[in-house]
Amino acid sequence: MIQFFNDNFSFISEYLPYFNTGALITVFISAVVVFFGSIIGLLVALMQRSKFRPLVWLVNLYVWIFRGTPMIVQISLSYLLIDIPGAPVLNVFGIQLDTGRLIAGVIVIALNSGAYVSEVVRGGINAVPKGQLEAAYSLGIRPGKAMRYVVLPQAFRNILPALGNEFITIIKDSSLLSTIGVMELWKGVQTVQAATYTPLGPYLLGAFYYLILTTVLSAILKQLEKKYNKGETA
């Protein structure tokens, strides 16, 4: 066992910052993507309820494209199409981070996430009894305010678990940004593997980092869900 550890994990003392910094960048990317993806998904779900048919057709086309094509294809196209001249390279704890590639990757993953979140939001809204809207209208509440203050708060309780799962999924899917050179966790793993010629250790340690991130996030989300549901039933 000791020999196995020495053969496969001797790189840790020198290259651990690649994993720690990569994990921080992965969490940052995921948080930004989920934030903007949730906003996009909410807006798209509301637009799909519009009576203006060209708008409905346009957002349905967006959802169809982003849900029907692989994310790695979308990331590759975004890297080729979104050109940011003179984008700075940041030194993050000794690791070089190309902001141009980072922005291109975040944009396309947020758009991809928004397409999926829109379906989650739409399902959450549809799960709210129609009598809630009718009651709001009978009280003289305008449709916009009825949606904002009556329907969406109830829909949020329905979609919270799905949004949490989306966050966990994005943490794992952000590893695809390594294909365009974004120095997140998995790119750090690949860099260490190439520098040390150690085939197994970096991959196992990288998988362990992902497991820790998703496990901690799952526990936090469960506590938030319990707290929210407790407040609803109080």
Side-chain angles (χ1 to χ4, degrees):
M1 179 63 69
I2 295 177
Q3 185 62 38
F4 175 84
F5 186 88
N6 290 335
D7 290 343
N8 291 282
F9 296 97
S10 59
F11 63 88
I12 289 180
S13 59
E14 182 178 357
Y15 290 97
L16 191 60
Y18 280 87
F19 294 86
N20 294 335
T21 304
L24 290 175
I25 294 173
T26 291
V27 172
F28 170 76
I29 290 172
S30 302
V32 172
V33 166
V34 170
F35 176 76
F36 286 104
S38 298
I39 294 176
I40 293 171
L42 175 60
L43 293 176
V44 169
L46 294 177
M47 290 177 184
Q48 288 175 325
R49 300 172 64 89
S50 172
K51 295 181 180 180
F52 185 56
R53 301 312 301 172
L55 178 61
V56 175
W57 181 86
L58 184 62
V59 294
N60 284 340
L61 177 65
Y62 151 72
V63 172
W64 175 62
I65 291 174
F66 276 90
R67 293 189 67 190
T69 56
M71 186 185 293
I72 193 169
V73 174
Q74 298 165 15
I75 291 173
S76 299
L77 288 174
S78 73
Y79 175 60
L80 295 174
L81 297 175
I82 303 176
D83 184 19
I84 305 177
V89 176
L90 301 180
N91 189 301
V92 183
F93 300 111
I95 295 179
Q96 302 299 312
L97 183 62
D98 188 323
T99 56
R101 299 183 182 191
L102 176 62
I103 292 172
V106 166
I107 288 175
V108 74
I109 297 182
L111 289 172
N112 180 282
S113 177
Y116 284 92
V117 170
S118 68
E119 295 299 298
V120 173
V121 173
R122 185 170 65 86
I125 291 175
N126 291 338
V128 176
K130 294 183 179 179
Q132 298 289 327
L133 271 179
E134 295 172 356
Y137 295 158
S138 67
L139 293 174
I141 301 176
R142 291 178 173 272
K145 288 187 175 181
M147 177 62 68
R148 180 179 177 182
Y149 294 111
V150 178
V151 176
L152 289 181
Q154 297 182 68
F156 180 74
R157 182 177 61 179
N158 297 329
I159 68 177
L160 182 59
L163 288 180
N165 290 334
E166 179 68 10
F167 200 164
I168 294 172
T169 298
I170 292 300
I171 283 182
K172 295 181 290 185
D173 287 348
S174 65
S175 61
L176 294 175
L177 293 181
S178 63
T179 59
I180 60 173
V182 176
M183 189 57 74
E184 41 69 61
L185 177 55
W186 194 247
K187 184 63 176 178
V189 170
Q190 294 175 327
T191 301
V192 173
Q193 192 275 335
T196 62
Y197 299 100
T198 305
L200 184 60
Y203 289 158
L204 289 177
L205 186 58
F208 177 74
Y209 266 72
Y210 280 111
L211 186 61
I212 292 298
L213 289 176
T214 55
T215 300
V216 171
L217 181 58
S218 296
I220 293 173
L221 291 170
K222 284 183 179 179
Q223 291 302 314
L224 288 175
E225 187 178 346
K226 287 181 180 179
K227 182 177 180 180
Y228 184 81
N229 289 334
K230 183 178 179 180
E232 286 292 322
T233 56

